[in-house]
Amino acid sequence: MDNKHELATLGVRAGQLRSDFQEHSEGLFLTSSFVFDSAAQAAARFSGAEEGYVYSRFTNPTVSMFQARLAALEGAEACMATASGMSAILATAMAFLKSGDHVVCSSGVFGATVQLFGTILARFGVATTFVSAVDAAQWEAAVMPNTRMFFLETPSNPLTEISDIEALARIGRRANALLVVDNCFCTPVLQRPLELGADLVIHSATKYLDGQGRVLGGAVCGPKALVVDGVLPFLRTAGPSLSPFNAWVILKGMETLELRMLKQSEQALDLARWLEGHPSVAKVHYPGLASHPQHSLAMRQQRSGGAIVSFELKGGRDAAWKLIDATRLISITANLGDVKTTITHPATTTHGRISAEARAAAGITDGLVRVAVGLEALGDLRADLERGI
Ligand SMILES: *Cc1c(COP(=O)(O)O)cnc(C)c1O
């Protein structure tokens, strides 16, 4: 299986290992350890002199297949799987940062990521400056002599702000800082950050890679020198490993990744256009709309606008809650990346614990609603929203 195949082919075929049983579907290897032919082989495996499986905290064939498939899709030399998206971010921070280092991070990242950098890593002497996702000048101005990492997520959640990966990669390179991009919203089907100059790509496989809301998982992708020499030693020792069962579920999910991403994005664009013309809607945030402030950048950087649409209702919180409560089909849950469409009110859920001022500064208004568009028929989704709008 070479990586010159197209994305759809890689999603179905890349990374498959076949055992002596010649199984057609990917095997699920539920085993914590592997046996050796001899004491000498055990010694060689442990020292790394001989390649092969040892212990599932750091080597398992099902997890290897997941890693190889995602690496192929991202165009990465290497990939290490982790127990969740957050453990992928933690592993990256632990691998490349030490006390006294400084991080520049987009303020539009996932809430737990803000907590991780702003609170937990701060206790270990790593300082983080949060800057605008869309203003490269702020990134440049935030650089200090000890800056070692730039961290961003594009499109951002829930406002779908687009960061210019190429521009920030140039600034990061001059500063000698690694550019780490959380590619959860787009997946490699819509955006390949390594080709745009990012050093590492993070995934929450919990979202679109699984695509069916079943298991948690995560990954770090990039060059061998960073992933194998940098991230693997931390994972091997600290142990936030992806379970083989979860790897297998996600691996099977990735077979339909391209189909799902293209269809869900297409439905999101249709829904965004409809919402934009609706009299009760004040504003729609969707990168695929010409009205989006970074529309042309998004269309350069991404294959489509993605499957997340946020919009502001004129009636504020009451109107937002009324719309959410009137749905009968769409699930009221903060998760995303599922084939089942979900709806959430960011101001009182994901962003409910931050101060009203900080929320206003971040643009999370009381009338804002986020929809993660799934695979149900578009007419049914529109009817479900129409009921309470
Ligand atoms: C969900 C999410 C994460 C965290 O992933 P988990 O698998 O829940 O740990 C990180 N980044 C983004 C953009 C996410 O949406």
Side-chain angles (χ1 to χ4, degrees):
M1 191 61 223
D2 71 56
N3 291 355
K4 284 189 206 77
H5 290 288
E6 290 183 45
L7 217 64
T9 309
L10 295 174
V12 174
R13 295 271 179 181
Q16 182 162 12
L17 301 168
R18 225 166 242 155
S19 79
D20 291 345
F21 293 119
Q22 292 284 74
E23 66 279 3
H24 188 208
S25 173
E26 291 77 355
L28 170 48
F29 292 89
L30 289 179
T31 178
S32 45
S33 75
F34 297 82
V35 296
F36 309 111
D37 292 338
S38 64
Q41 189 186 44
R45 290 270 175 95
F46 269 83
S47 74
E50 178 183 310
E51 274 202 33
Y53 295 97
V54 176
Y55 188 58
S56 286
R57 186 177 341 105
F58 49 95
T59 47
N60 175 282
T62 310
V63 177
S64 297
M65 287 190 259
F66 162 72
Q67 292 174 160
R69 186 163 297 174
L70 185 55
L73 292 175
E74 283 289 359
E77 260 177 25
C79 168
M80 283 305 303
T82 58
S84 65
M86 287 320 299
S87 56
I89 300 173
L90 175 67
T92 303
M94 295 303 267
F96 300 108
L97 299 172
K98 61 180 188 319
S99 177
D101 286 348
H102 174 246
V103 176
V104 184
C105 183
S106 163
S107 55
V109 293
F110 191 62
T113 309
V114 174
Q115 288 297 320
L116 179 66
F117 282 108
T119 308
I120 297 178
L121 291 171
R123 283 202 278 114
F124 293 86
V126 174
T128 299
T129 306
F130 292 95
V131 295
S132 158
V134 298
D135 183 0
Q138 286 191 27
W139 292 72
E140 188 136 40
V143 169
M144 301 204 276
N146 57 340
T147 302
R148 290 289 164 267
M149 187 178 286
F150 278 13
F151 191 99
L152 65 89
E153 195 179 303
T154 181
S156 73
N157 180 14
L159 294 177
T160 71
E161 291 180 320
I162 308 293
S163 297
D164 187 335
I165 297 174
E166 271 182 328
L168 295 175
R170 271 196 302 276
I171 298 169
R173 214 168 298 123
R174 275 203 301 277
N176 229 351
L178 288 176
L179 175 60
V180 183
V181 176
D182 183 333
N183 200 26
C184 174
F185 271 36
C186 276
T187 83
V189 171
L190 303 186
Q191 169 173 279
R192 306 221 299 172
L194 298 173
E195 287 172 358
L196 299 167
D199 295 294
L200 289 166
V201 168
I202 299 283
H203 275 286
S204 168
T206 315
K207 311 294 168 53
Y208 292 103
L209 300 186
D210 170 23
Q212 285 144 91
R214 298 168 291 193
V215 297
L216 276 88
V220 187
C221 303
K224 275 196 182 125
L226 295 178
V227 174
V228 178
D229 301 343
V231 179
L232 171 59
F234 170 78
L235 288 176
R236 178 181 178 134
T237 307
S241 328
L242 183 61
S243 85
F245 179 79
N246 288 9
W248 182 82
V249 170
I250 300 164
L251 195 56
K252 301 306 284 179
M254 284 160 75
E255 296 181 346
T256 56
L257 180 64
E258 188 182 52
L259 270 180
R260 284 185 283 107
M261 288 311 292
L262 296 181
K263 179 69 178 176
Q264 288 175 236
S265 300
E266 183 191 310
Q267 304 218 111
L269 177 60
D270 278 354
L271 213 56
R273 284 187 176 139
W274 170 69
L275 286 164
E276 197 167 44
H278 199 288
S280 304
V281 175
K283 191 172 183 182
V284 180
H285 304 269
Y286 183 69
L289 291 176
S291 59
H292 189 284
Q294 296 94 38
H295 174 66
S296 61
L297 169 62
M299 293 301 98
R300 220 167 45 239
Q301 194 164 272
Q302 303 174 196
R303 194 161 148 199
S304 77
I308 311 287
V309 182
S310 293
F311 53 99
E312 280 162 41
L313 289 167
K314 288 177 180 163
R317 199 195 89 161
D318 290 349
W321 280 26
K322 178 170 166 267
L323 164 66
I324 291 169
D325 290 344
T327 59
R328 290 178 203 156
L329 186 65
I330 299 174
S331 315
I332 307 173
T333 172
N335 197 29
L336 60 94
D338 200 307
V339 295
K340 293 183 171 68
T341 299
T342 64
I343 192 164
T344 187
H345 183 242
T348 51
T349 58
T350 49
H351 295 69
R353 278 172 298 171
I354 63 175
S355 70
E357 298 77 53
R359 215 164 37 237
I364 316 288
T365 62
D366 287 348
L368 189 73
V369 173
R370 188 198 73 193
V371 175
V373 181
L375 284 183
E376 303 93 335
L378 192 64
D380 289 333
L381 292 176
R382 199 181 297 169
D384 207 38
L385 292 171
E386 180 89 82
R387 198 176 297 115
I389 204 160

